[in-house]
Amino acid sequence: MKAIVLNEYGDSSHLKLAEIPEPKPGTGEIKVKVAAAGLNPIDWKLRSGDYKAFMPVQFPFIPGVDVSGRVVELGSGVTQFKVDDRVLGFVKRGYAEFVTAPAEAWAPIPKGMSLEDAAVIPLAALTGAQLVEEAANVQREQTVLVTGAVGAVGRAAVFAAKARGARVIAGVRQQQRAEAETLGATAVVALDVDAELANLPMLDAVADTVGGSTLAKVLGKVRNGGVVASTVGPPPADTERGVIGKGMLTHTDSKRLAALAEAVKAGKLRLPIAKRFSLAEAASAQRLAEAGGISKVLLKV
């Protein structure tokens, strides 16, 4: 089969199309013929070596954690899927024609949803939902700020917080305000405008997707005993005021992924696709996505 292979850390030019053996599904796994793979920041952070201190890769390495496609083979013990089912999954080695992964990593694609488009859902949607529901543990009537609200993970976090009955503030840059207004949050705040930042209400929680100086600026707005949860490493805390900092790692959750896919199908959660590339164009696709300022990028396999 064809796959995108990385043989050493480096820039996107190190991603090469190669012919490698097809994987075989093990016990409890399914094998999927991939229709598309979604790109995520973890892909280029692993490729570049930025994460090698705590997430080293074994070469040759195939990037990609988001895929969609059709089931072509079942490992022993799998009963929840059948051959030819349309599925999306949070997996490993996704930039390839075929992928195997445990059945719990997959969920059915809703009827009527594009087989290709489903590939952008798994990591972003699961991360946003788990950030709100597990790391921040947002509750009804709480006030939560979602930073980076128009990014894919931020959109999912806004959706999850709204679903929990929270008052949701979408934190964005001033130039993103118009897009943020479409998310249905209680309010939109431009975090790069000092006056708006100063007028933030006290927060029960921050669901952070950007980190850095933006997160540092809002820490003082978190009430005593509040929570700061982040997708980009351990966030700052304030032990004197009892403000808790929580990092997170996304985990597989087939049931939650299925529900999030249904929300996308219903239009309740939007994850826009900016551009599509062929598998062979993975280097160009990563270069574009890594530059930032763009919504989801897709590899058609």
Side-chain angles (χ1 to χ4, degrees):
M1 70 170 185
K2 289 181 172 60
I4 296 296
V5 174
L6 180 72
N7 289 304
E8 61 180 327
Y9 292 121
D11 62 26
S12 62
S13 68
H14 288 73
L15 297 171
K16 304 297 183 183
L17 187 66
E19 192 75 31
I20 64 171
E22 288 186 23
K24 296 288 186 183
T27 300
E29 293 185 333
I30 64 173
K31 178 177 176 179
V32 170
K33 187 179 191 315
V34 177
L39 273 65
N40 294 282
I42 186 68
D43 300 350
W44 47 88
K45 289 176 180 177
L46 291 175
R47 184 213 72 218
S48 67
D50 284 356
Y51 280 7
K52 65 182 176 183
F54 58 97
M55 291 180 70
V57 303
Q58 183 175 350
F59 300 114
F61 173 69
I62 300 173
V65 297
D66 275 352
V67 300
S68 60
R70 291 185 182 272
V71 178
V72 292
E73 189 176 349
L74 305 176
S76 62
V78 175
T79 58
Q80 60 268 61
F81 296 106
K82 62 183 184 299
V83 171
D84 208 40
D85 277 353
R86 300 183 339 136
V87 294
L88 69 161
F90 175 41
V91 301
K92 296 179 180 178
R93 300 167 62 89
Y95 292 12
E97 290 184 308
F98 294 93
V99 168
T100 59
E104 59 266 25
W106 303 93
I109 296 174
K111 186 176 295 185
M113 177 180 284
S114 161
L115 182 63
E116 281 186 5
D117 291 2
V120 303
I121 297 173
L123 178 60
L126 282 173
T127 301
Q130 290 168 10
L131 175 67
V132 165
E133 297 168 355
E134 298 175 14
N137 191 26
V138 171
Q139 302 297 315
R140 178 173 294 278
E141 300 298 328
Q142 286 188 332
T143 299
V144 57
L145 170 69
V146 177
T147 65
V150 297
V153 175
R155 287 169 180 268
V158 169
F159 168 78
K162 286 169 55 184
R164 285 212 158 185
R167 294 182 291 271
V168 186
I169 300 172
V172 294
R173 295 192 296 271
Q174 175 65 17
Q175 67 192 51
Q176 299 169 321
R177 179 183 294 279
E179 182 63 25
E181 296 283 1
T182 70
L183 301 179
T186 308
V188 174
V189 172
L191 298 177
D192 55 350
V193 176
D194 290 343
E196 295 196 29
L197 189 63
N199 288 328
L200 267 177
M202 292 305 292
L203 307 166
D204 296 292
V206 176
D208 171 62
T209 72
V210 296
S213 61
T214 299
L215 183 54
K217 287 177 184 177
V218 303
L219 184 60
K221 290 289 187 176
V222 182
R223 66 165 178 80
N224 294 357
V227 178
V228 178
S230 181
T231 63
V232 290
D238 187 337
T239 53
E240 289 186 6
R241 297 194 301 113
V243 175
I244 301 167
K246 290 185 178 181
M248 64 162 291
L249 287 175
T250 311
H251 59 84
T252 56
D253 184 340
S254 181
K255 183 177 179 180
R256 191 73 186 95
L257 181 56
L260 289 162
E262 290 289 352
V264 173
K265 170 64 169 53
K268 297 176 182 177
L269 170 60
R270 285 186 63 245
L271 299 175
I273 298 170
K275 193 162 184 180
R276 303 164 194 265
F277 292 82
S278 69
L279 182 64
E281 296 173 306
S284 296
Q286 272 204 12
R287 194 155 48 245
L288 176 67
E290 190 175 1
I294 191 170
S295 50
K296 296 293 289 185
V297 175
L298 199 65
L299 291 178
K300 298 186 292 182
V301 180

